[in-house]
Amino acid sequence: MTDLLAARLQMAMSLMFHILFAVAGIAMPLLMVLAEARWLKTRDEIYRTLAKRWCRGTAILFAVGAVTGTVLSFELGLLWPGFMEFAGPVIGLPFAMEGFAFFLEAIFLGIYLYGWDGKVPERVHFVAGILVCICGTLSGIFVVTANAWMNTPAGFDIEQGMAVNIDPWAAMWNPASLAQTSHMTIAAFQSVAFAVAAIHAAVLLRNPGATAHRKALAIALPVAVVTALIQPLSGDFSAKVVAESQPIKLAALEGQWETERGAPLRIGGWPDEEAEETRYAIEIPYLLSILAFNDPQAEVAGLKTVPPEDRPPVAITHFSFQIMVGCGMVMMLTALITLFLWWRGAKGPPQEWMTRHPWFLKLLIANGPLGLIAVEAGWIATEVGRQPWVIQGVMRTKDAVTQVPNIWMSLVSFTLLYLFLGIIVTILLKRQVFASLPGDGPNTDPEVD
């Protein structure tokens, strides 16, 4: 294993592990605030318990996210010194603002976590929860702007191999910032809402009378439905930005080898990088040109327009993109089914019609992991699709990696660390979050058969 491959694998593993906690840090505060809002309005103690339970889960995930995020910041400097030397002065602003938002989130989360039972006034406590949600969302947005800059670098000139005439605001709000931040933020709320809904649906499938879980599902499911329906619009916007700014990435995502007008959209398929063709795909004529440029006769660049050394790994990019889109389509279909059931059962409250159909609860359970899978697959498509560039058109990944040998030892060490953290988080969440809730009645604890 080369040091470059080991460094890339370690960074990929760290990002894929951390992103699970990052999306939870963005989305879980919204659910706990919605639960507390219901408690303030109805004084139903079940909502208060839900808010406290979800807050505990948020705190656990936040703590592990802080650890993995710190590891990532060190890895940027240790594994990619060439990148940090060049990019540090340009994208230092969003990282600084992310750190500020992160610290504010930690402060308000502490107030929210320990401010129950009259320790702080109810309104202050509720506002603290809202600020946790806002700061967590902003923290994610600032980090994603830095990644967007790597895809569409802006806000600097190059002289003698170094960045000069730096405009940090132009760098942060580069051409891909709005598309990537909106797509990722919606994905965070969508993935976590579906995961939470699946957990409570699993309990309800075994015990439809579990009142607390019915009310929890009634909070999480609307968030899942709304985000699943608007995410395709965000995805379309992101695809158009990629088509304009990274045509070779778009070609890899779609397995498009030839430059052609009226390019088809491919569903599935197997990209053969040696034969330079994509086999077994279902092709919909003209649709890629329409989606990318709003013109059925628009020209779409193919992978063959650049030499092989300038192309990303096509198979990984294509498959991960297909997985992301497929998961998104299933969640969107589930959202439409939910709206239909809501319309049919509109005479009753949501917590009644949702448990009327066991098959619907099973559908929600099946959707549980799809959002998180889509998030992981989307990041693989984004990062691998930019290769061989760490900064698109400016710096190649091989020129950014450290010269320190034996990176594989670091890869093994951090793999074991993340495995340990994953086990600890699973145990803590099972004990602190998935215990029985008041009003569940007998045999409603997820741990009880």
Side-chain angles (χ1 to χ4, degrees):
M1 179 184 296
T2 65
D3 288 332
L4 175 60
L5 178 59
R8 292 179 64 184
L9 288 175
Q10 181 175 328
M11 199 70 187
M13 177 189 62
S14 299
L15 281 168
M16 293 180 68
F17 190 77
H18 173 72
I19 201 170
L20 298 175
F21 302 96
V23 296
I26 292 172
M28 282 304 299
L30 175 63
L31 299 182
M32 71 185 191
V33 166
L34 291 175
E36 185 177 10
R38 293 294 299 163
W39 173 67
L40 290 173
K41 183 177 181 179
T42 65
R43 294 298 169 176
D44 185 337
E45 283 298 314
I46 288 179
Y47 289 117
R48 183 174 182 270
T49 303
L50 279 174
K52 295 178 74 172
R53 187 68 58 81
W54 283 338
C55 179
R56 289 182 207 164
T58 300
I60 293 169
L61 297 169
F62 179 87
V64 179
V67 172
T68 55
T70 302
V71 170
L72 274 172
S73 65
F74 279 106
E75 286 180 338
L76 281 173
L78 295 175
L79 296 178
W80 311 102
F83 168 77
M84 290 305 297
E85 181 182 9
F86 181 92
V90 186
I91 57 174
L93 178 62
F95 281 120
M97 296 180 72
E98 186 275 335
F100 183 71
F102 175 82
F103 285 126
L104 285 179
E105 182 184 7
I107 292 170
F108 292 120
L109 181 59
I111 295 172
Y112 194 88
L113 183 63
Y114 297 107
W116 290 100
D117 304 319
K119 294 183 177 66
V120 298
E122 288 181 352
R123 298 294 179 184
V124 173
H125 187 267
F126 182 63
V127 170
I130 294 175
L131 291 173
V132 172
C133 184
I134 292 173
C135 291
T137 302
L138 289 176
S139 178
I141 287 173
F142 290 138
V143 167
V144 174
T145 61
N147 180 267
W149 177 85
M150 296 165 68
N151 290 309
T152 55
F156 66 98
D157 296 319
I158 299 178
E159 292 183 4
Q160 298 180 348
M162 299 300 295
V164 297
N165 301 325
I166 295 170
D167 183 345
W169 290 104
M172 188 165 73
W173 301 117
N174 58 80
S177 286
L178 181 59
Q180 281 197 219
T181 55
S182 60
H183 194 57
M184 186 63 216
T185 303
I186 295 170
F189 289 109
Q190 179 183 357
S191 60
V192 173
F194 268 106
V196 172
I199 292 169
H200 295 288
V203 179
L204 288 169
L205 187 63
R206 298 164 60 183
N207 181 10
T211 305
H213 292 278
R214 292 167 73 184
K215 293 182 177 181
L217 185 56
I219 293 173
L221 191 55
V223 178
V225 168
V226 171
T227 51
L229 293 177
I230 64 175
Q231 184 64 296
L233 301 176
S234 171
D236 179 69
F237 176 41
S238 297
K240 286 179 169 56
V241 172
V242 171
E244 291 287 347
S245 59
Q246 296 177 287
I248 299 305
K249 175 187 282 190
L250 177 68
L253 294 173
E254 296 292 345
Q256 179 75 27
W257 294 91
E258 303 289 345
T259 298
E260 62 179 312
R261 294 186 179 276
L265 181 75
R266 292 174 179 82
I267 301 175
W270 185 277
D272 186 334
E273 298 187 47
E274 292 187 2
E276 296 185 332
E277 62 178 334
T278 300
R279 298 191 175 100
Y280 316 120
I282 300 172
E283 296 188 356
I284 304 176
Y286 304 105
L287 190 54
L288 179 57
S289 292
I290 295 172
L291 293 175
F293 300 104
N294 295 323
D295 180 358
Q297 295 299 327
E299 183 177 271
V300 176
L303 289 159
K304 292 183 180 180
T305 58
V306 297
E309 61 269 20
D310 290 339
R311 301 171 191 167
V314 181
I316 296 174
T317 305
H318 179 71
F319 291 141
S320 58
F321 179 69
Q322 294 281 308
I323 290 171
M324 180 192 70
V325 173
C327 290
M329 295 301 293
V330 172
M331 288 184 284
M332 184 181 70
L333 178 61
T334 300
L336 293 173
I337 292 173
T338 304
L339 289 178
F340 175 76
L341 292 178
W342 171 81
W343 174 71
R344 288 287 302 272
K347 294 181 180 179
Q351 54 263 38
E352 290 185 5
W353 63 259
M354 285 189 301
T355 57
R356 222 173 270 161
H357 311 286
W359 64 266
F360 178 65
L361 295 176
K362 293 178 182 178
L363 179 62
L364 292 180
I365 295 169
N367 274 262
L370 294 186
L372 297 174
I373 293 172
V375 167
E376 298 283 18
W379 273 102
I380 292 172
T382 298
E383 297 304 294
V384 177
R386 190 180 59 246
Q387 301 305 314
W389 304 98
V390 64
I391 307 173
Q392 182 70 44
V394 175
M395 177 181 290
R396 291 180 180 267
T397 306
K398 66 179 183 180
D399 297 326
V401 73
T402 180
Q403 299 302 309
V404 176
N406 298 321
I407 300 299
W408 67 268
M409 298 176 64
S410 175
L411 172 62
V412 172
S413 300
F414 278 98
T415 300
L416 295 175
L417 170 64
Y418 290 134
L419 180 62
F420 173 75
L421 284 175
I423 294 172
I424 294 299
V425 169
T426 302
I427 294 173
L428 288 175
L429 289 177
K430 188 175 182 180
R431 290 181 177 178
Q432 297 295 325
V433 182
F434 300 151
S436 61
L437 290 165
D440 286 357
N443 296 328
T444 60
D445 192 318
E447 296 182 18
V448 178
D449 293 327

Short mmCIF file of all heavy atoms in Angstrom, two decimals, residues 90-91 93 145 149 152-156 165-177:
data_model
loop_
_atom_site.label_atom_id
_atom_site.label_comp_id
_atom_site.label_asym_id
_atom_site.label_seq_id
_atom_site.Cartn_x
_atom_site.Cartn_y
_atom_site.Cartn_z
N VAL A 90 -6.47 30.82 2.64
CA VAL A 90 -7.64 31.13 1.81
C VAL A 90 -8.94 30.72 2.51
O VAL A 90 -9.92 31.46 2.51
CB VAL A 90 -7.54 30.44 0.44
CG1 VAL A 90 -8.68 30.88 -0.47
CG2 VAL A 90 -6.20 30.73 -0.21
N ILE A 91 -8.95 29.53 3.11
CA ILE A 91 -10.19 29.01 3.70
C ILE A 91 -10.12 28.99 5.23
O ILE A 91 -10.89 28.28 5.88
CB ILE A 91 -10.52 27.60 3.17
CG1 ILE A 91 -9.36 26.63 3.42
CG2 ILE A 91 -10.85 27.67 1.69
CD1 ILE A 91 -9.70 25.19 3.04
N LEU A 93 -11.08 31.39 7.12
CA LEU A 93 -12.27 32.07 7.65
C LEU A 93 -13.41 31.11 7.95
O LEU A 93 -13.94 31.13 9.08
CB LEU A 93 -12.73 33.16 6.67
CG LEU A 93 -14.00 33.91 7.08
CD1 LEU A 93 -13.79 34.65 8.38
CD2 LEU A 93 -14.43 34.88 5.97
N THR A 145 -18.79 24.98 3.15
CA THR A 145 -18.29 26.00 2.23
C THR A 145 -16.81 25.78 1.92
O THR A 145 -16.36 26.07 0.80
CB THR A 145 -18.48 27.41 2.80
OG1 THR A 145 -17.75 27.55 4.02
CG2 THR A 145 -19.94 27.72 3.04
N TRP A 149 -15.27 25.09 -1.77
CA TRP A 149 -14.13 25.82 -2.34
C TRP A 149 -13.15 24.86 -3.02
O TRP A 149 -12.55 25.21 -4.05
CB TRP A 149 -13.41 26.61 -1.24
CG TRP A 149 -12.19 27.32 -1.72
CD1 TRP A 149 -12.13 28.55 -2.30
CD2 TRP A 149 -10.84 26.85 -1.64
NE1 TRP A 149 -10.83 28.87 -2.60
CE2 TRP A 149 -10.02 27.84 -2.20
CE3 TRP A 149 -10.24 25.70 -1.14
CZ2 TRP A 149 -8.63 27.70 -2.29
CZ3 TRP A 149 -8.87 25.54 -1.23
CH2 TRP A 149 -8.08 26.56 -1.80
N THR A 152 -14.80 24.35 -6.38
CA THR A 152 -14.82 25.54 -7.25
C THR A 152 -13.98 26.63 -6.58
O THR A 152 -14.53 27.57 -6.00
CB THR A 152 -16.26 26.04 -7.46
OG1 THR A 152 -16.88 26.27 -6.19
CG2 THR A 152 -17.08 25.03 -8.25
N PRO A 153 -12.66 26.50 -6.61
CA PRO A 153 -11.79 27.47 -5.92
C PRO A 153 -11.98 28.89 -6.44
O PRO A 153 -12.08 29.11 -7.65
CB PRO A 153 -10.38 26.94 -6.19
CG PRO A 153 -10.51 26.06 -7.40
CD PRO A 153 -11.88 25.48 -7.34
N ALA A 154 -12.01 29.83 -5.50
CA ALA A 154 -12.21 31.25 -5.83
C ALA A 154 -11.59 32.09 -4.73
O ALA A 154 -11.21 31.59 -3.68
CB ALA A 154 -13.70 31.56 -5.98
N GLY A 155 -11.46 33.39 -5.00
CA GLY A 155 -11.02 34.33 -3.98
C GLY A 155 -9.51 34.44 -3.82
O GLY A 155 -9.04 34.83 -2.74
N PHE A 156 -8.73 34.14 -4.86
CA PHE A 156 -7.27 34.25 -4.76
C PHE A 156 -6.68 34.25 -6.16
O PHE A 156 -7.32 33.85 -7.14
CB PHE A 156 -6.69 33.09 -3.96
CG PHE A 156 -6.86 31.74 -4.63
CD1 PHE A 156 -5.82 31.18 -5.38
CD2 PHE A 156 -8.05 31.05 -4.52
CE1 PHE A 156 -5.98 29.97 -6.00
CE2 PHE A 156 -8.21 29.82 -5.14
CZ PHE A 156 -7.18 29.28 -5.87
N ASN A 165 -3.34 37.83 -3.10
CA ASN A 165 -4.55 38.65 -3.32
C ASN A 165 -5.80 37.92 -2.82
O ASN A 165 -6.81 37.80 -3.52
CB ASN A 165 -4.71 39.00 -4.80
CG ASN A 165 -3.52 39.76 -5.35
OD1 ASN A 165 -2.91 40.56 -4.64
ND2 ASN A 165 -3.17 39.51 -6.60
N ILE A 166 -5.73 37.45 -1.60
CA ILE A 166 -6.78 36.59 -1.05
C ILE A 166 -7.99 37.41 -0.63
O ILE A 166 -7.86 38.41 0.08
CB ILE A 166 -6.24 35.78 0.14
CG1 ILE A 166 -5.14 34.82 -0.33
CG2 ILE A 166 -7.36 35.02 0.83
CD1 ILE A 166 -4.38 34.15 0.79
N ASP A 167 -9.15 36.97 -1.05
CA ASP A 167 -10.43 37.52 -0.62
C ASP A 167 -11.18 36.40 0.11
O ASP A 167 -11.83 35.56 -0.53
CB ASP A 167 -11.24 38.01 -1.82
CG ASP A 167 -12.55 38.67 -1.42
OD1 ASP A 167 -12.98 38.49 -0.25
OD2 ASP A 167 -13.17 39.33 -2.27
N PRO A 168 -11.10 36.34 1.45
CA PRO A 168 -11.67 35.19 2.18
C PRO A 168 -13.18 35.06 2.02
O PRO A 168 -13.70 33.94 2.02
CB PRO A 168 -11.29 35.47 3.64
CG PRO A 168 -10.97 36.92 3.70
CD PRO A 168 -10.44 37.29 2.36
N TRP A 169 -13.90 36.19 1.84
CA TRP A 169 -15.34 36.09 1.66
C TRP A 169 -15.69 35.51 0.30
O TRP A 169 -16.61 34.68 0.18
CB TRP A 169 -15.99 37.47 1.83
CG TRP A 169 -15.94 37.96 3.24
CD1 TRP A 169 -15.12 38.91 3.75
CD2 TRP A 169 -16.73 37.50 4.33
NE1 TRP A 169 -15.34 39.08 5.10
CE2 TRP A 169 -16.33 38.23 5.48
CE3 TRP A 169 -17.75 36.54 4.47
CZ2 TRP A 169 -16.91 38.03 6.73
CZ3 TRP A 169 -18.31 36.34 5.72
CH2 TRP A 169 -17.90 37.08 6.82
N ALA A 170 -14.95 35.91 -0.73
CA ALA A 170 -15.18 35.34 -2.06
C ALA A 170 -14.84 33.85 -2.07
O ALA A 170 -15.48 33.06 -2.77
CB ALA A 170 -14.35 36.09 -3.10
N ALA A 171 -13.81 33.48 -1.30
CA ALA A 171 -13.45 32.06 -1.22
C ALA A 171 -14.54 31.26 -0.52
O ALA A 171 -14.92 30.17 -0.97
CB ALA A 171 -12.12 31.90 -0.47
N MET A 172 -15.06 31.81 0.58
CA MET A 172 -16.08 31.08 1.33
C MET A 172 -17.38 30.96 0.53
O MET A 172 -18.00 29.90 0.50
CB MET A 172 -16.35 31.77 2.67
CG MET A 172 -17.26 30.96 3.58
SD MET A 172 -17.26 31.52 5.29
CE MET A 172 -18.19 33.04 5.14
N TRP A 173 -17.79 32.04 -0.14
CA TRP A 173 -19.02 32.00 -0.92
C TRP A 173 -18.68 31.82 -2.40
O TRP A 173 -19.02 32.62 -3.25
CB TRP A 173 -19.84 33.26 -0.68
CG TRP A 173 -20.20 33.41 0.76
CD1 TRP A 173 -19.82 34.40 1.61
CD2 TRP A 173 -20.98 32.49 1.54
NE1 TRP A 173 -20.32 34.18 2.87
CE2 TRP A 173 -21.04 33.00 2.85
CE3 TRP A 173 -21.64 31.29 1.26
CZ2 TRP A 173 -21.73 32.36 3.88
CZ3 TRP A 173 -22.32 30.65 2.28
CH2 TRP A 173 -22.36 31.19 3.57
N ASN A 174 -17.99 30.71 -2.66
CA ASN A 174 -17.58 30.35 -4.01
C ASN A 174 -18.79 29.83 -4.79
O ASN A 174 -19.87 29.63 -4.23
CB ASN A 174 -16.46 29.31 -3.94
CG ASN A 174 -16.91 28.07 -3.18
OD1 ASN A 174 -17.59 27.20 -3.70
ND2 ASN A 174 -16.53 28.01 -1.89
N PRO A 175 -18.63 29.58 -6.10
CA PRO A 175 -19.79 29.20 -6.92
C PRO A 175 -20.55 27.96 -6.46
O PRO A 175 -21.74 27.82 -6.75
CB PRO A 175 -19.17 28.97 -8.31
CG PRO A 175 -17.98 29.88 -8.33
CD PRO A 175 -17.43 29.85 -6.93
N ALA A 176 -19.89 27.05 -5.73
CA ALA A 176 -20.57 25.82 -5.31
C ALA A 176 -21.12 25.90 -3.90
O ALA A 176 -21.79 24.95 -3.44
CB ALA A 176 -19.62 24.63 -5.42
N SER A 177 -20.87 26.99 -3.18
CA SER A 177 -21.23 27.06 -1.76
C SER A 177 -22.72 26.88 -1.53
O SER A 177 -23.14 26.05 -0.71
CB SER A 177 -20.77 28.39 -1.15
OG SER A 177 -19.38 28.40 -0.96
#
